[in-house]
Amino acid sequence: MTMFADDLKQRFSRARVLVAGDVMLDRYWFGDVSRISPEAPVPVAKIDRIDQRAGGAANVARNIAALGGQVVLLSVTGDDEAGDALDGLMTQAGVEACLMRDKNIATTVKLRVMARNQQLIRLDFEDAPSSDVLQSITQKYRERLAGCDAVILSDYGKGCLGPVAQLIDWARQAGKPVLIDPKGDDYAKYSGASLLTPNRAELRQVVGGWQNEVELEEKVAALRRHLALDALLLTRSEEGMTLFRNGVPHHQPTRAREVFDVSGAGDTVIGGMALALAAGLDWPEAMQLANAAAGVVVGKLGTAVCTFDELAASV
């Protein structure tokens, strides 16, 4: 990194990122397993602690806030206790959250039962938002664009983003870089984005497998041309990450000293990239910081964040 930590901190504090997408509440039930159920061949978990954290686009937003950036979150929740919990978590994290309440759905909740730092089971509760609420989110998005330096569209396939192509177009017309964490096997709807951040499995869904780095570069180049992308950042787990732009791909090896839990690491990557770009860093510098932040997060249990001090110490 080419600048001092205090200068970077000041830059981050002035940077403004708009995050729109699917939010969820990650709930954790922690306990211990010492026997098998007499009712069925399954472990019995005796729960002694419960925790809850913001997930999805909400986790992206709180990562940006933890790094010292200004962030606005746009999304939909149900009009329920889980929605109240998400509102409260965003306030605690220093995120300006505009969570539209849909009375016809339940807030997306992922409930994980944990024993001895292992996940026994995950239970998901989710509904698709109604069209009226999505229109309200779209209007809020257009109103907020002028006041941001970068945009993140966090797509978890829950239906909160609505007309993605239109959101991208509005951001590009406003001169804002738009970064997307993609989902599914059809990336056509992401055409014109500044950056996509798929992992290896997600990219294979779209371009097929590859035998070597040369074939990977060719497939990514073809995808970038087809979708008119400025760049693509491939996250590669233990292999680190690779940024594909014009010219030779830029690779960063993993910064993790010990991988404890990879859940939410993608949120840290895209949040760190967007904040760094909004703060005026170039693409390789932004990737270096995002990679370092992700290295911190995977050393923590569950959906977690990297603080600015942790980032500074890591780089």
Side-chain angles (χ1 to χ4, degrees), residues 27-292:
R27 283 192 160 138
Y28 297 85
W29 290 3
F30 296 95
D32 195 15
V33 172
S34 59
R35 63 191 178 97
I36 301 298
S37 171
E39 304 167 354
V42 295
V44 175
K46 183 179 182 298
I47 304 302
D48 55 31
R49 183 166 62 91
I50 295 175
D51 193 11
Q52 58 186 14
R53 305 171 190 177
N59 190 44
V60 175
R62 75 188 190 110
N63 267 278
I64 295 168
L67 289 170
Q70 301 177 46
V71 57
V72 175
L73 172 65
L74 303 179
S75 191
V76 179
T77 69
D79 191 14
D80 52 19
E81 177 271 335
D84 294 339
L86 271 173
D87 251 335
L89 288 170
M90 291 297 91
T91 299
Q92 292 174 22
V95 174
E96 182 183 349
C98 299
L99 301 179
M100 310 296 291
R101 298 299 187 105
D102 189 336
K103 297 181 181 296
N104 299 313
I105 69 170
T107 300
T108 298
V109 174
K110 293 182 179 180
L111 172 59
R112 298 170 176 89
V113 180
M114 312 288 295
R116 300 181 184 179
N117 293 330
Q118 298 294 321
Q119 188 176 142
L120 297 182
I121 191 171
R122 192 181 90 182
L123 308 175
D124 288 8
F125 308 84
E126 60 185 58
D127 294 304
S130 62
S131 58
D132 289 345
V133 176
L134 287 179
Q135 289 177 4
S136 297
I137 287 291
T138 300
Q139 182 60 38
K140 285 280 187 184
Y141 177 87
R142 296 199 72 175
E143 293 172 359
R144 292 286 190 162
L145 265 178
C148 73
D149 301 305
V151 175
I152 294 176
L153 302 181
S154 187
D155 191 354
Y156 273 79
K158 311 302 182 188
C160 289
L161 278 178
V164 178
Q166 199 169 39
L167 301 181
I168 295 169
D169 187 48
W170 287 335
R172 298 312 295 263
Q173 287 181 22
K176 315 295 183 181
V178 54
L179 294 74
I180 302 178
D181 187 2
K183 287 294 180 288
D185 57 5
D186 179 15
Y187 282 8
K189 60 185 175 182
Y190 304 129
S191 294
S194 305
L195 178 74
L196 298 186
T197 61
N199 59 33
R200 288 177 298 192
E202 290 167 340
L203 186 62
R204 284 194 186 100
Q205 275 189 288
V206 177
V207 303
W210 54 88
Q211 298 299 316
N212 50 54
E213 291 298 306
V214 172
E215 186 178 0
L216 171 61
E217 289 178 31
E218 291 172 349
K219 290 195 170 190
V220 171
L223 180 66
R224 286 185 54 226
R225 287 193 299 270
H226 178 64
L227 300 180
L229 304 174
D230 291 345
L232 184 142
L233 178 65
L234 176 62
T235 56
R236 311 176 73 166
S237 189
E238 73 281 355
E239 296 177 5
M241 57 184 66
T242 306
L243 178 67
F244 298 89
R245 290 186 70 225
N246 301 326
V248 178
H250 190 86
H251 183 74
Q252 282 279 322
T254 182
R255 295 293 300 270
R257 294 179 176 86
E258 181 180 357
V259 176
F260 195 73
D261 191 337
V262 298
S263 59
D267 299 335
T268 304
V269 170
I270 196 168
M273 281 291 297
L275 179 59
L277 292 174
L281 279 69
D282 63 25
W283 289 87
E285 286 177 322
M287 183 181 71
Q288 182 183 0
L289 292 177
N291 187 42

